[in-house]
Amino acid sequence: MEKLKASSVQFEHKSGDKDYNLSVIDHFSKQAAEEGSRIIAFHECCITGYTFTQNLSKQDMLELAEYLPESNSIKELTNISRKHDVVILAGLFEKDQDNRLYNTYVCVNSSGLVAKHRKIHPFINPWLSPGEQYTVFDLDGWKCGILICYDNNIIENVRATKLLGADIIFMPHVTMCTPSSRPGAGFVDPRLWKNREEDPTSLRIEFDGLKGRAWLMKWLPARAFDNAVYVVFANPIGMDYDQLKNGCSMIIDPFGDILSECRILGDDMITATLVPEKLTKAGGHRYLKARKPGLYRNVIGREHEPEQKVSWKRN
């Protein structure tokens, strides 16, 4: 396994405007290739937009979603990948022949679809069906996994993906700056985004506080540290329909250290080099070997009725 250079992007997508969003993917894919990256990752539903779908009917969703792998978006991603010689990971809504709908994240190279992951814990639109399996695939000698947004908040999903062999887990999100029962959570006023050039400080305080990055730092590095994996986190910045998102796309190593992070108040890309030696030097590697699943196999596997209550709608 050789060193691997990867990039992650934050950008302000346009709801329902696939052509525009794909043009941004093209732009940053070119930039990543020029910096020597082999892989570039974008956020959850970056091709379609995300939060605006909370108001869509099933028919609306079916018109927005695409069949995979024969979709126009996959064809365009393939063309972009071939043009720039870079592997692309991006998100969209998928439909199947039975009109089931999924929040899906795809990996595409110059030959087409390499892998796809259907979000295990979807929300935002009631017509979305949950994915029913983990996703691990090979990429340039590295084992890669995908978990979408809320999937990563259930720690068993990350551990299972690691145990299936993942060295890198791509974690596309549309997150932060939303209400929650935790102290300090809540929306960020969109007026701060509109006024970011005149007053960047007020916006940065909100973005970096408990509404945003400070909350993320409570758990995201721990996912990498505990499981001895590289984490490639991608999140939008700017307005996602009626909600403001704070970006901070980043790449974290198996020690839980941030290698690179988007920090500007606008569209941005970061790049980092992933080295295989860290996978076995990190403490998480020792912890995995020290596990005693016989003690808790029956505890973790108990019958359980999942309950998921999340609402991001503004009143």
Side-chain angles (χ1 to χ4, degrees):
M1 194 158 52
E2 302 293 330
K3 292 180 181 180
L4 183 69
K5 188 173 279 191
S7 299
S8 185
V9 172
Q10 66 178 30
F11 79 92
E12 186 178 28
H13 61 247
K14 293 184 179 180
S15 298
D17 192 339
K18 295 179 185 179
D19 288 341
Y20 171 80
N21 297 330
L22 283 164
S23 75
V24 177
I25 290 172
D26 187 9
H27 166 78
F28 279 112
S29 296
K30 179 177 185 293
Q31 182 177 328
E34 290 172 348
E35 293 186 12
S37 278
R38 173 61 181 151
I39 303 166
I40 184 168
F42 297 87
H43 61 265
E44 175 185 15
C45 293
C46 59
I47 294 172
T48 52
Y50 184 68
T51 299
F52 83 106
T53 65
Q54 65 188 348
N55 300 315
L56 298 188
S57 67
K58 185 173 184 180
Q59 186 56 44
D60 291 335
M61 289 295 293
L62 287 169
E63 291 175 5
L64 178 68
E66 303 182 35
Y67 296 115
L68 302 184
E70 60 268 27
S71 79
N72 289 333
S73 291
I74 296 298
K75 291 176 183 176
E76 183 59 25
L77 290 174
T78 302
N79 290 335
I80 295 170
S81 175
R82 186 180 301 121
K83 179 168 56 173
H84 302 304
D85 192 25
V86 65
V87 177
I88 302 168
L89 291 104
L92 73 169
F93 291 104
E94 176 192 3
K95 59 185 174 184
D96 67 15
Q97 297 300 327
D98 296 316
N99 283 344
R100 286 186 293 258
L101 291 153
Y102 302 95
N103 177 339
T104 298
Y105 197 69
V106 298
C107 176
V108 174
N109 67 11
S110 60
S111 298
L113 186 67
V114 174
K116 72 175 183 181
H117 176 76
R118 291 170 170 171
K119 190 174 183 179
I120 299 168
H121 300 272
F123 49 93
I124 209 66
N125 183 281
W127 297 107
L128 291 171
S129 296
E132 296 181 343
Q133 63 184 28
Y134 296 116
T135 304
V136 176
F137 57 100
D138 292 310
L139 204 59
D140 284 8
W142 291 70
K143 285 280 188 182
C144 299
I146 297 169
L147 291 168
I148 302 172
C149 201
Y150 203 74
D151 292 352
N152 294 284
N153 294 121
I154 289 78
I155 60 175
E156 289 85 352
N157 290 333
V158 184
R159 176 53 58 91
T161 302
K162 170 64 181 184
L163 291 175
L164 288 170
D167 305 311
I168 306 165
I169 302 181
F170 293 94
M171 298 185 178
H173 280 63
V174 176
T175 194
M176 296 181 280
C177 305
T178 54
S180 169
S181 58
R182 63 179 171 82
F187 290 121
V188 174
D189 191 337
R191 289 175 296 183
L192 293 177
W193 178 251
K194 294 178 181 178
N195 196 41
R196 64 190 181 277
E197 292 184 0
E198 291 77 16
D199 179 18
T201 302
S202 295
L203 180 60
R204 180 56 68 194
I205 289 170
E206 290 280 78
F207 274 2
D208 284 356
L210 283 170
K211 291 180 179 180
R213 188 179 185 276
W215 166 75
L216 191 72
M217 291 297 99
K218 288 177 180 288
W219 64 269
L220 185 62
R223 299 294 186 269
F225 176 81
D226 288 342
N227 295 287
V229 293
Y230 282 96
V231 163
V232 180
F233 169 82
N235 191 54
I237 194 165
M239 294 307 300
D240 170 37
Y241 188 54
D242 61 348
Q243 299 178 18
L244 181 55
K245 298 301 171 190
N246 67 319
C248 67
S249 294
M250 63 181 70
I251 298 175
I252 303 173
D253 74 6
F255 293 104
D257 294 329
I258 298 171
L259 299 179
S260 190
E261 178 183 356
C262 293
R263 293 297 292 162
I264 70 169
L265 298 174
D267 294 3
D268 194 18
M269 183 190 82
I270 49 93
T271 297
T273 299
L274 285 52
V275 297
E277 293 80 12
K278 288 185 179 182
L279 295 168
T280 52
K281 288 181 178 179
H285 178 71
R286 298 193 303 275
Y287 309 152
L288 285 161
K289 288 183 173 295
R291 289 177 307 116
K292 294 185 178 181
L295 288 175
Y296 41 79
R297 181 180 293 113
N298 293 334
V299 177
I300 293 175
R302 285 178 183 170
E303 288 296 319
H304 166 69
E305 186 64 33
E307 181 178 317
Q308 182 178 317
K309 295 180 180 179
V310 180
S311 176
W312 285 358
K313 287 190 176 183
R314 288 183 178 273
N315 294 328

